Amino acid sequence: MKITLIQGDITQIKVDAIVNAANSSLLGGGGVDGAIHRAGGPAILEECRRIRDRQGRCATGEAVITTAGKLPAKYVIHTVGPVWNKGNDEEKRLLRNAYINSLLLAVKHGVETIAFPNISTGVYHFPKPIAAEIAVAAVKEFLAQDNRITNLVFVCHEKENYDIYSELLSRN
Ligand code: AR6
């Protein structure tokens, strides 16, 4: 298994699937969600709307998959991270679910390479070091049990997250 760390814009990454830190409406927003919809074009939102019509809102910790429109990736996996609210085990469990459910959906669609943003660490205010520990532990556990993902990229937009991940990933 291979985990790569980069600092940059996830919309530019050429992988089978990029993950979006969406909200449960699935109808777009700011942050990485806004960037993905802007760069990918209207096809992504159209498919999100069809999913909404079919199955309703996306619960926190769950994930859905759409086309990536004009992006270099083939798919966007939209997952909903938890909003940080002083911190309790539920929030941590839900953040872990967001990573695991994204990966489960990815392998179901034959995805071999996938890029994640730092889910919940923007508008949703999850403390960055705690979110990073959960993310790294979740994906390592998943990749150790399932060899269908050949490359997983953590894409950090800001240096602060990049440095946190860099330190965490260098530990083992
Ligand atoms: N590429 C990679 N990472 C990015 C990019 C980008 N282009 N732009 C921002 N980030 P946020 P959340 C990072 O707020 O906290 C939206 O409105 C950013 O630096 O996008 O899960 C949704 O619709 C941060 O580290 O997502 C929801 O309503 C990380 O992406 C809500 O925000 C996540 O920040 C979700 O909040």
Side-chain angles (χ1 to χ4, degrees):
M1 70 174 165
K2 191 170 165 225
I3 297 178
T4 313
L5 174 65
I6 64 164
Q7 187 179 354
D9 175 1
I10 202 165
T11 65
Q12 305 301 309
I13 311 289
K14 195 173 182 309
V15 281
D16 294 336
I18 63 166
V19 177
N20 180 17
N23 60 65
S24 60
S25 81
L26 295 175
L27 299 181
V32 68
D33 195 5
I36 287 172
H37 282 284
R38 263 196 312 279
I44 301 176
L45 189 59
E46 279 163 28
E47 215 176 322
C48 284
R49 283 190 196 282
R50 283 199 293 276
I51 292 169
R52 274 276 312 239
D53 291 346
R54 211 168 52 231
Q55 66 188 54
R57 295 167 75 88
C58 183
T60 305
E62 300 298 317
V64 303
I65 189 165
T66 67
T67 173
K70 295 186 288 184
L71 298 176
K74 291 184 206 141
Y75 300 107
V76 176
I77 293 175
H78 308 260
T79 191
V80 183
V83 177
W84 179 260
N85 180 24
K86 298 198 184 84
N88 58 54
D89 289 334
E90 187 65 359
E91 286 153 41
K92 293 177 187 167
R93 187 179 66 80
L94 289 170
L95 184 60
R96 178 186 157 82
N97 286 356
Y99 282 91
I100 298 290
N101 286 326
S102 296
L103 286 165
L104 285 169
L105 197 55
V107 295
K108 203 170 145 191
H109 285 79
V111 164
E112 293 179 355
T113 56
I114 185 166
F116 279 92
N118 307 130
I119 301 165
S120 286
T121 67
V123 174
Y124 283 179
H125 290 300
F126 215 100
K128 294 182 173 91
I130 304 175
E133 271 189 37
I134 292 167
V136 170
V139 309
K140 277 193 171 173
E141 207 177 291
F142 187 93
L143 297 182
Q145 286 167 13
D146 191 316
N147 61 10
R148 286 175 287 180
I149 302 279
T150 56
N151 189 16
L152 186 148
V153 188
F154 283 118
V155 182
C156 300
H157 201 54
E158 327 121 30
K159 186 168 184 322
E160 189 186 350
N161 264 324
Y162 180 85
D163 289 344
I164 292 168
Y165 273 78
S166 192
E167 207 275 315
L168 262 181
L169 291 169
S170 69
R171 276 192 209 164
N172 43 41

